[in-house]
Amino acid sequence: GYQHLRYNFILNDRWSPEAFAQYQYNEWLKIGFRSLHGAGVRLAILNNDSTKTKWFSGLSYMYEYEEETTDKIVRVHRANVYMSVGFPIGKILYFDAIGYFQPNVEYISDFRTSLEMTIDVSITERLSLLLIHNIVYDGAPPEGLRNTFYNLRNGLRFEF
């Protein structure tokens, strides 16, 4: 299970303060329950509606609470640095990617990185096929887990 909520308040064309919360469980990753809450700022480096091209970067602080299925409880203060890009490829394809770097502010060797890349293939004006690849690296995973996980998903998007 995974829920991510984010609120952005647009100050001007470039800067947006934001706040977020995330809740997760995943027995494969030995996460019994994880919650994180944070706030920071997002910078619009490029945001062109006419060409549907975007480039954002963000910096924030987050507090993470995690109950591993091993009964270990982890409380961590992390920085959260991210970059997001999106642009069309021809008339029916759209590429979108977001990468995160999340170091523990007390132990820099305990960090997470993730990259999610999406290809959106237009089928009709409102319907598209999504191909999504995600890779995650955890510098300090629960005992017995490898550091790197990845998945490939697909889906349909219908816009109302």
Side-chain angles (χ1 to χ4, degrees), residues 77-89:
H77 298 272
R78 291 189 184 275
N80 180 42
V81 181
Y82 71 89
M83 187 159 303
S84 171
V85 296
F87 53 87
I89 304 170

Side-chain angles (χ1 to χ4, degrees), residues 75-141:
R75 294 174 179 89
V76 178
H77 298 272
R78 291 189 184 275
N80 180 42
V81 181
Y82 71 89
M83 187 159 303
S84 171
V85 296
F87 53 87
I89 304 170
K91 293 185 178 183
I92 65 167
L93 297 177
Y94 189 82
F95 176 79
D96 192 48
I98 187 163
Y100 293 92
F101 175 65
Q102 299 171 329
N104 178 332
V105 297
E106 295 179 32
Y107 305 102
I108 196 75
S109 62
D110 173 12
F111 66 90
R112 289 200 186 101
T113 60
S114 68
L115 175 63
E116 182 170 285
M117 296 172 288
T118 303
I119 296 286
D120 185 320
V121 183
S122 294
I123 299 169
T124 69
E125 190 174 305
R126 294 185 176 192
L127 181 66
S128 60
L129 171 68
L130 301 177
L131 303 169
I132 305 160
H133 182 261
N134 190 0
I135 185 166
V136 176
Y137 175 86
D138 189 340

Side-chain angles (χ1 to χ4, degrees), residues 45-57:
I45 299 166
L46 175 65
N47 191 13
N48 188 322
D49 288 336
S50 64
T51 63
K52 296 184 179 180
T53 304
K54 65 177 184 175
W55 180 9
F56 295 102
S57 185

Side-chain angles (χ1 to χ4, degrees), residues 20 36-39 60-64 76-80 102:
F20 56 89
L36 56 91
H37 301 87
S60 54
Y61 158 83
M62 66 184 194
Y63 176 75
E64 180 179 276
V76 178
H77 298 272
R78 291 189 184 275
N80 180 42
Q102 299 171 329

Side-chain angles (χ1 to χ4, degrees), residues 1-2 8 18 25-27 29 37 54-55 59 64 78 80 86 92 128 133 135 146 148 155-156:
Y2 179 86
N8 295 75
E18 60 185 3
Y25 70 90
N26 185 327
E27 290 198 23
L29 300 179
H37 301 87
K54 65 177 184 175
W55 180 9
L59 174 63
E64 180 179 276
R78 291 189 184 275
N80 180 42
I92 65 167
S128 60
H133 182 261
I135 185 166
R146 62 182 189 250
T148 305
L156 294 172

Side-chain angles (χ1 to χ4, degrees), residues 4-20:
H4 183 89
L5 307 167
R6 182 172 297 264
Y7 177 77
N8 295 75
F9 177 79
I10 298 172
L11 285 178
N12 56 42
D13 289 345
R14 300 193 48 97
W15 295 99
S16 302
E18 60 185 3
F20 56 89

